[in-house]
Amino acid sequence: MIPRVQARGKRTIGLLHYLYGPGTHEEHTDPHLVAAWDGLAPDPGRDPDATYGDLQRLLDQPVMALPRSRRPAEHVWHLSVRAAPEDPVLSDEQWGEIARRMVAATGIAPDGDDAACRWAAVRHAGDHVHIIATVVREDGRQARLRQDGKRSQAEARKIEIDYGLRRLTSGDGTAARRPTSAELHKARREGRERTAREELRESVRHAVAGAASTEEFFDRLAGVGLLIRKRVAPSGDLLGYKVALPDDRNKDDEPVFYSGSKLAPDLSLPRIRERWAQPSEATTATSSSQPEQPGLPDVTGPAFARRRATAATWQALLIIDRGADGNAAAQIAATAEVMDALAKTSAAHTRAELRQAASAFERASRSRLKAVRGHDRALRQAARDLVHSGPALGRGEDGASTAMLIDMAFFAVTAAANWHARKQHSQQAVAARQAADHLRAAYQAAAAQPMAALRQRGRHLAPRVQQRQTDLLHRVLPELASRVRAEPGWPALAATLDDAQRAGYDPVALLAEATRRRELHTVDSISDVLVWRLRRSAHLPALPDSPHRTTTADNRRTPSPAPATHPGTSSASNPTRQR
């Protein structure tokens, strides 16, 4: 059950016209009174002799009894209470009792208070009720309504238990605003899959991902066709912005604009500017400024950007696991930017799942713990590289490096879920786990072709090379060797070990390092996990064009770190668990 305290109003009659009227898009059916401060209150919905003016005058009596100078400027209080879609349809009597509990909990009409405010509960749909009240009490004092939203949430949790409704978790004020009933109805009427608010939120998030300045942010918004209004101070300083879809119009055929803060708390202009408030070489450089590594793709291409993003995500995972709260919160927020950038530039066969993963993780990117900006520069640069490198084709090196990045993003998202759970951020933890489910599905789509190609290469290795890799496996992983050899992915691992040796690495040391970093006993495919770890840490192409397209080196190298085991990690937190 979701209660929402609306903005205060000045005109009681205006709100009554809305509640009893047909609604913005004819969505109101059979509006009528289900409860009120007085059992004799008139009901314009069911009583043909009652008018809106009759109810308005009674509600406003305590307000009008005050001298004009003492009347509050905004005296109309409005609370909507909505049931979950899967909840049973409640009766008028049940909604009336819920309304009484809400006005008592919020301070409008405390139990046993004969001088409380006047109020009325109007029902015009099966799943929710609206409560209108005037904030001046019968004794002329104003009601004490501090934290009325928080108190309504607490009462809603009790109501859910008492009525056997879906149990929700109380919010912390950092969630994005839900679409209103009118917005949902409008989207259905126009055949849209999502409301304009939801489409705009995604577009703005994508525009923010990796942006380095206000100008670049607005250029990206304009580039995707959004209408933009900027709020400018007399001094010329930019204070805020609003955006609209060109085809989302009101009854006067005018675009419907939403401010950034109405889309999500972190999409207001001041909050967006916090991301680049501390410019540095790391945040303004582009991927083309990075040195090229032999054997790897062009540094301006999608595949190289994905490899760099994979490395940055690994470093972020370490901070989420072990860093201070503010630093971890910054890394989680920047991880959301990487996921938005990845979804924006993804190939068609992974796009839907990656968009859903980014959309779900958006809720996990915000909490009451303030992010310490500056520590997230590498991830924000990674998001910038992904956007500037352009869309990936989804095959060859692009597809394989995408699978590698999705694999690492899964670990980071899982670490974020665990971090939120430790901090008792229940909504964020749930959102991160939902994102992980979508990443798992995206990985399956992205990894199918490159893993099949690597397996094919492994099957064509010379018999003596295959035997050498088998002996190496038994030497490093004696307890798991038989299981790995029986997996479909073993040929891909054998090919990867051969590539690493050709590149000048000691495959024994490389494999030992990869297996130490995270437990392997509970994953579904040990070989799949090790393939990506080895190819990442040895700087091998994710999918070479030929068996000989590998890096070369004169000396043996020390392998780069691979993901470490997260405390308490089980098979459920590994993306290969469901592959």
Side-chain angles (χ1 to χ4, degrees), residues 392-436:
L393 298 177
R395 57 182 181 271
E397 183 70 11
D398 278 5
S401 59
T402 296
M404 183 182 292
L405 175 54
I406 294 172
D407 181 76
M408 181 59 75
F410 181 97
F411 290 125
V413 166
T414 301
N418 293 337
W419 183 83
H420 280 305
R422 293 195 300 271
K423 303 300 177 185
Q424 298 184 337
H425 303 159
S426 56
Q427 291 185 357
Q428 290 88 338
V430 169
R433 294 187 189 105
Q434 290 172 343

mmCIF file of all heavy atoms in Angstrom, residues 392-436:
data_model
loop_
_atom_site.group_PDB
_atom_site.id
_atom_site.type_symbol
_atom_site.label_atom_id
_atom_site.label_comp_id
_atom_site.label_asym_id
_atom_site.label_seq_id
_atom_site.Cartn_x
_atom_site.Cartn_y
_atom_site.Cartn_z
ATOM 1 N N ALA A 392 28.068 -1.054 -30.197
ATOM 2 C CA ALA A 392 28.796 -2.291 -30.481
ATOM 3 C C ALA A 392 27.995 -3.127 -31.462
ATOM 4 O O ALA A 392 26.772 -3.109 -31.476
ATOM 5 C CB ALA A 392 29.030 -3.079 -29.191
ATOM 6 N N LEU A 393 28.711 -3.897 -32.288
ATOM 7 C CA LEU A 393 28.046 -4.741 -33.275
ATOM 8 C C LEU A 393 27.492 -6.022 -32.672
ATOM 9 O O LEU A 393 26.619 -6.657 -33.238
ATOM 10 C CB LEU A 393 29.022 -5.084 -34.406
ATOM 11 C CG LEU A 393 29.545 -3.884 -35.207
ATOM 12 C CD1 LEU A 393 30.565 -4.348 -36.239
ATOM 13 C CD2 LEU A 393 28.399 -3.163 -35.891
ATOM 14 N N GLY A 394 28.044 -6.419 -31.523
ATOM 15 C CA GLY A 394 27.524 -7.600 -30.852
ATOM 16 C C GLY A 394 28.127 -8.893 -31.320
ATOM 17 O O GLY A 394 27.712 -9.981 -30.897
ATOM 18 N N ARG A 395 29.129 -8.843 -32.182
ATOM 19 C CA ARG A 395 29.794 -10.061 -32.637
ATOM 20 C C ARG A 395 31.297 -9.816 -32.662
ATOM 21 O O ARG A 395 31.761 -8.695 -32.548
ATOM 22 C CB ARG A 395 29.289 -10.471 -34.017
ATOM 23 C CG ARG A 395 29.432 -9.422 -35.096
ATOM 24 C CD ARG A 395 28.847 -9.908 -36.419
ATOM 25 N NE ARG A 395 29.006 -8.912 -37.476
ATOM 26 C CZ ARG A 395 28.147 -7.957 -37.757
ATOM 27 N NH1 ARG A 395 27.036 -7.861 -37.040
ATOM 28 N NH2 ARG A 395 28.368 -7.091 -38.739
ATOM 29 N N GLY A 396 32.054 -10.903 -32.835
ATOM 30 C CA GLY A 396 33.506 -10.777 -32.853
ATOM 31 C C GLY A 396 34.028 -10.246 -31.530
ATOM 32 O O GLY A 396 33.524 -10.558 -30.452
ATOM 33 N N GLU A 397 35.043 -9.389 -31.619
ATOM 34 C CA GLU A 397 35.647 -8.828 -30.418
ATOM 35 C C GLU A 397 34.661 -7.955 -29.645
ATOM 36 O O GLU A 397 34.657 -7.941 -28.414
ATOM 37 C CB GLU A 397 36.889 -8.013 -30.791
ATOM 38 C CG GLU A 397 37.654 -7.438 -29.608
ATOM 39 C CD GLU A 397 38.381 -8.491 -28.784
ATOM 40 O OE1 GLU A 397 38.473 -9.645 -29.238
ATOM 41 O OE2 GLU A 397 38.849 -8.157 -27.682
ATOM 42 N N ASP A 398 33.783 -7.236 -30.370
ATOM 43 C CA ASP A 398 32.767 -6.421 -29.703
ATOM 44 C C ASP A 398 31.884 -7.284 -28.814
ATOM 45 O O ASP A 398 31.619 -6.963 -27.650
ATOM 46 C CB ASP A 398 31.880 -5.718 -30.739
ATOM 47 C CG ASP A 398 32.520 -4.448 -31.272
ATOM 48 O OD1 ASP A 398 33.670 -4.181 -30.907
ATOM 49 O OD2 ASP A 398 31.857 -3.750 -32.051
ATOM 50 N N GLY A 399 31.382 -8.378 -29.372
ATOM 51 C CA GLY A 399 30.483 -9.244 -28.609
ATOM 52 C C GLY A 399 31.175 -9.906 -27.437
ATOM 53 O O GLY A 399 30.609 -10.015 -26.344
ATOM 54 N N ALA A 400 32.416 -10.367 -27.641
ATOM 55 C CA ALA A 400 33.135 -11.046 -26.572
ATOM 56 C C ALA A 400 33.492 -10.079 -25.445
ATOM 57 O O ALA A 400 33.370 -10.413 -24.259
ATOM 58 C CB ALA A 400 34.395 -11.704 -27.126
ATOM 59 N N SER A 401 33.945 -8.876 -25.798
ATOM 60 C CA SER A 401 34.281 -7.901 -24.746
ATOM 61 C C SER A 401 33.024 -7.430 -24.027
ATOM 62 O O SER A 401 33.075 -7.082 -22.840
ATOM 63 C CB SER A 401 35.049 -6.716 -25.340
ATOM 64 O OG SER A 401 34.284 -6.073 -26.342
ATOM 65 N N THR A 402 31.878 -7.419 -24.727
ATOM 66 C CA THR A 402 30.618 -7.105 -24.061
ATOM 67 C C THR A 402 30.283 -8.163 -23.021
ATOM 68 O O THR A 402 29.873 -7.851 -21.894
ATOM 69 C CB THR A 402 29.478 -6.993 -25.091
ATOM 70 O OG1 THR A 402 29.746 -5.900 -25.965
ATOM 71 C CG2 THR A 402 28.138 -6.766 -24.396
ATOM 72 N N ALA A 403 30.445 -9.433 -23.388
ATOM 73 C CA ALA A 403 30.201 -10.516 -22.430
ATOM 74 C C ALA A 403 31.126 -10.386 -21.224
ATOM 75 O O ALA A 403 30.718 -10.597 -20.076
ATOM 76 C CB ALA A 403 30.391 -11.870 -23.106
ATOM 77 N N MET A 404 32.377 -10.017 -21.473
ATOM 78 C CA MET A 404 33.344 -9.853 -20.393
ATOM 79 C C MET A 404 32.897 -8.738 -19.444
ATOM 80 O O MET A 404 32.949 -8.886 -18.214
ATOM 81 C CB MET A 404 34.719 -9.528 -20.984
ATOM 82 C CG MET A 404 35.833 -9.403 -19.976
ATOM 83 S SD MET A 404 37.418 -8.953 -20.762
ATOM 84 C CE MET A 404 37.780 -10.423 -21.699
ATOM 85 N N LEU A 405 32.434 -7.607 -20.005
ATOM 86 C CA LEU A 405 31.996 -6.491 -19.172
ATOM 87 C C LEU A 405 30.723 -6.844 -18.411
ATOM 88 O O LEU A 405 30.587 -6.503 -17.228
ATOM 89 C CB LEU A 405 31.772 -5.246 -20.031
ATOM 90 C CG LEU A 405 31.199 -4.012 -19.325
ATOM 91 C CD1 LEU A 405 32.037 -3.631 -18.106
ATOM 92 C CD2 LEU A 405 31.099 -2.835 -20.297
ATOM 93 N N ILE A 406 29.784 -7.502 -19.066
ATOM 94 C CA ILE A 406 28.545 -7.894 -18.371
ATOM 95 C C ILE A 406 28.870 -8.823 -17.212
ATOM 96 O O ILE A 406 28.289 -8.727 -16.122
ATOM 97 C CB ILE A 406 27.566 -8.569 -19.354
ATOM 98 C CG1 ILE A 406 27.093 -7.566 -20.399
ATOM 99 C CG2 ILE A 406 26.362 -9.135 -18.605
ATOM 100 C CD1 ILE A 406 26.271 -8.184 -21.517
ATOM 101 N N ASP A 407 29.829 -9.746 -17.437
ATOM 102 C CA ASP A 407 30.241 -10.667 -16.384
ATOM 103 C C ASP A 407 30.749 -9.890 -15.163
ATOM 104 O O ASP A 407 30.371 -10.168 -14.027
ATOM 105 C CB ASP A 407 31.322 -11.591 -16.935
ATOM 106 C CG ASP A 407 31.817 -12.603 -15.926
ATOM 107 O OD1 ASP A 407 31.099 -13.578 -15.664
ATOM 108 O OD2 ASP A 407 32.934 -12.423 -15.402
ATOM 109 N N MET A 408 31.593 -8.872 -15.409
ATOM 110 C CA MET A 408 32.125 -8.085 -14.300
ATOM 111 C C MET A 408 31.051 -7.197 -13.693
ATOM 112 O O MET A 408 31.008 -7.007 -12.465
ATOM 113 C CB MET A 408 33.300 -7.232 -14.783
ATOM 114 C CG MET A 408 33.940 -6.393 -13.682
ATOM 115 S SD MET A 408 34.559 -7.401 -12.317
ATOM 116 C CE MET A 408 36.036 -8.069 -13.073
ATOM 117 N N ALA A 409 30.160 -6.637 -14.527
ATOM 118 C CA ALA A 409 29.078 -5.812 -13.998
ATOM 119 C C ALA A 409 28.197 -6.617 -13.057
ATOM 120 O O ALA A 409 27.697 -6.095 -12.053
ATOM 121 C CB ALA A 409 28.250 -5.237 -15.146
ATOM 122 N N PHE A 410 27.998 -7.893 -13.371
ATOM 123 C CA PHE A 410 27.207 -8.741 -12.482
ATOM 124 C C PHE A 410 27.842 -8.808 -11.097
ATOM 125 O O PHE A 410 27.149 -8.689 -10.074
ATOM 126 C CB PHE A 410 27.086 -10.143 -13.076
ATOM 127 C CG PHE A 410 26.255 -11.079 -12.235
ATOM 128 C CD1 PHE A 410 24.920 -11.286 -12.531
ATOM 129 C CD2 PHE A 410 26.789 -11.731 -11.136
ATOM 130 C CE1 PHE A 410 24.141 -12.135 -11.753
ATOM 131 C CE2 PHE A 410 26.025 -12.570 -10.360
ATOM 132 C CZ PHE A 410 24.700 -12.771 -10.668
ATOM 133 N N PHE A 411 29.163 -8.993 -11.047
ATOM 134 C CA PHE A 411 29.844 -9.059 -9.756
ATOM 135 C C PHE A 411 29.705 -7.737 -8.998
ATOM 136 O O PHE A 411 29.484 -7.717 -7.792
ATOM 137 C CB PHE A 411 31.322 -9.389 -9.941
ATOM 138 C CG PHE A 411 31.581 -10.799 -10.392
ATOM 139 C CD1 PHE A 411 32.335 -11.048 -11.538
ATOM 140 C CD2 PHE A 411 31.084 -11.878 -9.695
ATOM 141 C CE1 PHE A 411 32.577 -12.326 -11.954
ATOM 142 C CE2 PHE A 411 31.323 -13.173 -10.112
ATOM 143 C CZ PHE A 411 32.069 -13.395 -11.251
ATOM 144 N N ALA A 412 29.835 -6.601 -9.726
ATOM 145 C CA ALA A 412 29.724 -5.296 -9.072
ATOM 146 C C ALA A 412 28.312 -5.068 -8.544
ATOM 147 O O ALA A 412 28.126 -4.559 -7.430
ATOM 148 C CB ALA A 412 30.107 -4.190 -10.056
ATOM 149 N N VAL A 413 27.313 -5.432 -9.325
ATOM 150 C CA VAL A 413 25.926 -5.255 -8.902
ATOM 151 C C VAL A 413 25.616 -6.137 -7.696
ATOM 152 O O VAL A 413 24.915 -5.732 -6.765
ATOM 153 C CB VAL A 413 24.975 -5.563 -10.081
ATOM 154 C CG1 VAL A 413 23.545 -5.738 -9.614
ATOM 155 C CG2 VAL A 413 25.060 -4.444 -11.114
ATOM 156 N N THR A 414 26.145 -7.354 -7.706
ATOM 157 C CA THR A 414 25.954 -8.244 -6.563
ATOM 158 C C THR A 414 26.634 -7.683 -5.320
ATOM 159 O O THR A 414 26.080 -7.741 -4.208
ATOM 160 C CB THR A 414 26.496 -9.644 -6.879
ATOM 161 O OG1 THR A 414 25.822 -10.162 -8.024
ATOM 162 C CG2 THR A 414 26.283 -10.590 -5.712
ATOM 163 N N ALA A 415 27.837 -7.115 -5.494
ATOM 164 C CA ALA A 415 28.516 -6.474 -4.358
ATOM 165 C C ALA A 415 27.686 -5.300 -3.840
ATOM 166 O O ALA A 415 27.589 -5.076 -2.625
ATOM 167 C CB ALA A 415 29.908 -6.004 -4.778
ATOM 168 N N ALA A 416 27.074 -4.539 -4.746
ATOM 169 C CA ALA A 416 26.219 -3.425 -4.333
ATOM 170 C C ALA A 416 25.005 -3.927 -3.561
ATOM 171 O O ALA A 416 24.596 -3.324 -2.557
ATOM 172 C CB ALA A 416 25.772 -2.623 -5.554
ATOM 173 N N ALA A 417 24.418 -5.042 -4.013
ATOM 174 C CA ALA A 417 23.267 -5.616 -3.291
ATOM 175 C C ALA A 417 23.672 -6.017 -1.884
ATOM 176 O O ALA A 417 22.939 -5.761 -0.912
ATOM 177 C CB ALA A 417 22.717 -6.823 -4.059
ATOM 178 N N ASN A 418 24.835 -6.631 -1.748
ATOM 179 C CA ASN A 418 25.310 -7.038 -0.428
ATOM 180 C C ASN A 418 25.600 -5.827 0.457
ATOM 181 O O ASN A 418 25.309 -5.824 1.657
ATOM 182 C CB ASN A 418 26.566 -7.901 -0.570
ATOM 183 C CG ASN A 418 26.279 -9.229 -1.240
ATOM 184 O OD1 ASN A 418 25.146 -9.714 -1.223
ATOM 185 N ND2 ASN A 418 27.283 -9.824 -1.846
ATOM 186 N N TRP A 419 26.172 -4.774 -0.154
ATOM 187 C CA TRP A 419 26.468 -3.551 0.607
ATOM 188 C C TRP A 419 25.182 -2.917 1.110
ATOM 189 O O TRP A 419 25.075 -2.546 2.286
ATOM 190 C CB TRP A 419 27.237 -2.582 -0.288
ATOM 191 C CG TRP A 419 27.675 -1.319 0.379
ATOM 192 C CD1 TRP A 419 28.798 -1.129 1.142
ATOM 193 C CD2 TRP A 419 27.008 -0.043 0.346
ATOM 194 N NE1 TRP A 419 28.878 0.174 1.571
ATOM 195 C CE2 TRP A 419 27.791 0.860 1.099
ATOM 196 C CE3 TRP A 419 25.838 0.410 -0.256
ATOM 197 C CZ2 TRP A 419 27.427 2.197 1.273
ATOM 198 C CZ3 TRP A 419 25.474 1.741 -0.084
ATOM 199 C CH2 TRP A 419 26.263 2.624 0.665
ATOM 200 N N HIS A 420 24.188 -2.791 0.243
ATOM 201 C CA HIS A 420 22.911 -2.216 0.655
ATOM 202 C C HIS A 420 22.246 -3.071 1.732
ATOM 203 O O HIS A 420 21.635 -2.540 2.672
ATOM 204 C CB HIS A 420 21.979 -2.079 -0.549
ATOM 205 C CG HIS A 420 22.261 -0.881 -1.403
ATOM 206 N ND1 HIS A 420 22.294 0.398 -0.896
ATOM 207 C CD2 HIS A 420 22.510 -0.771 -2.734
ATOM 208 C CE1 HIS A 420 22.553 1.251 -1.881
ATOM 209 N NE2 HIS A 420 22.684 0.572 -2.995
ATOM 210 N N ALA A 421 22.344 -4.380 1.599
ATOM 211 C CA ALA A 421 21.742 -5.262 2.603
ATOM 212 C C ALA A 421 22.388 -5.053 3.968
ATOM 213 O O ALA A 421 21.700 -5.023 4.996
ATOM 214 C CB ALA A 421 21.865 -6.715 2.164
ATOM 215 N N ARG A 422 23.711 -4.874 3.980
ATOM 216 C CA ARG A 422 24.408 -4.624 5.250
ATOM 217 C C ARG A 422 23.974 -3.301 5.869
ATOM 218 O O ARG A 422 23.939 -3.171 7.095
ATOM 219 C CB ARG A 422 25.923 -4.632 5.042
ATOM 220 C CG ARG A 422 26.511 -5.976 4.675
ATOM 221 C CD ARG A 422 28.025 -5.986 4.857
ATOM 222 N NE ARG A 422 28.698 -5.003 4.039
ATOM 223 C CZ ARG A 422 29.127 -5.206 2.799
ATOM 224 N NH1 ARG A 422 28.903 -6.388 2.219
ATOM 225 N NH2 ARG A 422 29.759 -4.261 2.125
ATOM 226 N N LYS A 423 23.649 -2.328 5.031
ATOM 227 C CA LYS A 423 23.223 -1.017 5.520
ATOM 228 C C LYS A 423 21.723 -0.957 5.771
ATOM 229 O O LYS A 423 21.198 0.097 6.117
ATOM 230 C CB LYS A 423 23.603 0.074 4.506
ATOM 231 C CG LYS A 423 25.085 0.124 4.163
ATOM 232 C CD LYS A 423 25.930 0.393 5.374
ATOM 233 C CE LYS A 423 27.412 0.369 5.013
ATOM 234 N NZ LYS A 423 28.278 0.518 6.208
ATOM 235 N N GLN A 424 21.042 -2.078 5.557
ATOM 236 C CA GLN A 424 19.587 -2.184 5.746
ATOM 237 C C GLN A 424 18.829 -1.274 4.780
ATOM 238 O O GLN A 424 17.784 -0.724 5.112
ATOM 239 C CB GLN A 424 19.199 -1.895 7.198
ATOM 240 C CG GLN A 424 19.802 -2.880 8.185
ATOM 241 C CD GLN A 424 19.354 -2.656 9.612
ATOM 242 O OE1 GLN A 424 18.947 -1.563 9.987
ATOM 243 N NE2 GLN A 424 19.410 -3.702 10.413
ATOM 244 N N HIS A 425 19.353 -1.128 3.575
ATOM 245 C CA HIS A 425 18.673 -0.419 2.491
ATOM 246 C C HIS A 425 17.894 -1.463 1.699
ATOM 247 O O HIS A 425 18.344 -1.940 0.660
ATOM 248 C CB HIS A 425 19.670 0.292 1.576
ATOM 249 C CG HIS A 425 20.558 1.268 2.278
ATOM 250 N ND1 HIS A 425 21.772 1.712 1.769
ATOM 251 C CD2 HIS A 425 20.414 1.921 3.470
ATOM 252 C CE1 HIS A 425 22.317 2.570 2.600
ATOM 253 N NE2 HIS A 425 21.515 2.712 3.643
ATOM 254 N N SER A 426 16.725 -1.826 2.196
ATOM 255 C CA SER A 426 16.018 -2.967 1.624
ATOM 256 C C SER A 426 15.581 -2.738 0.185
ATOM 257 O O SER A 426 15.708 -3.629 -0.666
ATOM 258 C CB SER A 426 14.806 -3.327 2.493
ATOM 259 O OG SER A 426 13.952 -2.207 2.661
ATOM 260 N N GLN A 427 15.049 -1.558 -0.129
ATOM 261 C CA GLN A 427 14.599 -1.298 -1.497
ATOM 262 C C GLN A 427 15.764 -1.339 -2.474
ATOM 263 O O GLN A 427 15.655 -1.901 -3.571
ATOM 264 C CB GLN A 427 13.901 0.059 -1.576
ATOM 265 C CG GLN A 427 12.556 0.103 -0.863
ATOM 266 C CD GLN A 427 11.848 1.432 -1.060
ATOM 267 O OE1 GLN A 427 12.386 2.355 -1.684
ATOM 268 N NE2 GLN A 427 10.645 1.537 -0.533
ATOM 269 N N GLN A 428 16.875 -0.748 -2.096
ATOM 270 C CA GLN A 428 18.035 -0.737 -2.979
ATOM 271 C C GLN A 428 18.606 -2.138 -3.180
ATOM 272 O O GLN A 428 19.034 -2.488 -4.284
ATOM 273 C CB GLN A 428 19.115 0.192 -2.428
ATOM 274 C CG GLN A 428 18.767 1.671 -2.499
ATOM 275 C CD GLN A 428 18.015 2.181 -1.281
ATOM 276 O OE1 GLN A 428 17.386 1.411 -0.558
ATOM 277 N NE2 GLN A 428 18.079 3.476 -1.030
ATOM 278 N N ALA A 429 18.630 -2.935 -2.105
ATOM 279 C CA ALA A 429 19.150 -4.299 -2.223
ATOM 280 C C ALA A 429 18.293 -5.123 -3.172
ATOM 281 O O ALA A 429 18.811 -5.872 -4.016
ATOM 282 C CB ALA A 429 19.216 -4.953 -0.845
ATOM 283 N N VAL A 430 16.976 -4.985 -3.052
ATOM 284 C CA VAL A 430 16.069 -5.708 -3.952
ATOM 285 C C VAL A 430 16.291 -5.264 -5.390
ATOM 286 O O VAL A 430 16.343 -6.089 -6.318
ATOM 287 C CB VAL A 430 14.606 -5.488 -3.528
ATOM 288 C CG1 VAL A 430 13.652 -6.010 -4.601
ATOM 289 C CG2 VAL A 430 14.328 -6.192 -2.208
ATOM 290 N N ALA A 431 16.437 -3.955 -5.611
ATOM 291 C CA ALA A 431 16.635 -3.440 -6.966
ATOM 292 C C ALA A 431 17.929 -3.962 -7.574
ATOM 293 O O ALA A 431 17.976 -4.315 -8.759
ATOM 294 C CB ALA A 431 16.645 -1.914 -6.940
ATOM 295 N N ALA A 432 18.991 -4.019 -6.773
ATOM 296 C CA ALA A 432 20.266 -4.523 -7.284
ATOM 297 C C ALA A 432 20.159 -6.000 -7.664
ATOM 298 O O ALA A 432 20.726 -6.432 -8.675
ATOM 299 C CB ALA A 432 21.365 -4.315 -6.244
ATOM 300 N N ARG A 433 19.432 -6.774 -6.876
ATOM 301 C CA ARG A 433 19.269 -8.192 -7.216
ATOM 302 C C ARG A 433 18.446 -8.357 -8.495
ATOM 303 O O ARG A 433 18.702 -9.259 -9.297
ATOM 304 C CB ARG A 433 18.620 -8.930 -6.047
ATOM 305 C CG ARG A 433 19.494 -8.984 -4.799
ATOM 306 C CD ARG A 433 18.900 -9.862 -3.716
ATOM 307 N NE ARG A 433 19.641 -9.732 -2.475
ATOM 308 C CZ ARG A 433 19.225 -9.054 -1.411
ATOM 309 N NH1 ARG A 433 18.039 -8.448 -1.438
ATOM 310 N NH2 ARG A 433 19.957 -8.972 -0.324
ATOM 311 N N GLN A 434 17.451 -7.491 -8.683
ATOM 312 C CA GLN A 434 16.680 -7.538 -9.926
ATOM 313 C C GLN A 434 17.578 -7.212 -11.117
ATOM 314 O O GLN A 434 17.481 -7.853 -12.178
ATOM 315 C CB GLN A 434 15.514 -6.552 -9.852
ATOM 316 C CG GLN A 434 14.421 -6.956 -8.876
ATOM 317 C CD GLN A 434 13.378 -5.867 -8.697
ATOM 318 O OE1 GLN A 434 13.605 -4.699 -9.034
ATOM 319 N NE2 GLN A 434 12.229 -6.231 -8.156
ATOM 320 N N ALA A 435 18.447 -6.223 -10.943
ATOM 321 C CA ALA A 435 19.382 -5.878 -12.007
ATOM 322 C C ALA A 435 20.300 -7.062 -12.321
ATOM 323 O O ALA A 435 20.619 -7.328 -13.488
ATOM 324 C CB ALA A 435 20.202 -4.655 -11.604
ATOM 325 N N ALA A 436 20.733 -7.774 -11.283
ATOM 326 C CA ALA A 436 21.606 -8.928 -11.490
ATOM 327 C C ALA A 436 20.916 -10.004 -12.322
ATOM 328 O O ALA A 436 21.540 -10.647 -13.174
ATOM 329 C CB ALA A 436 22.049 -9.492 -10.145
#
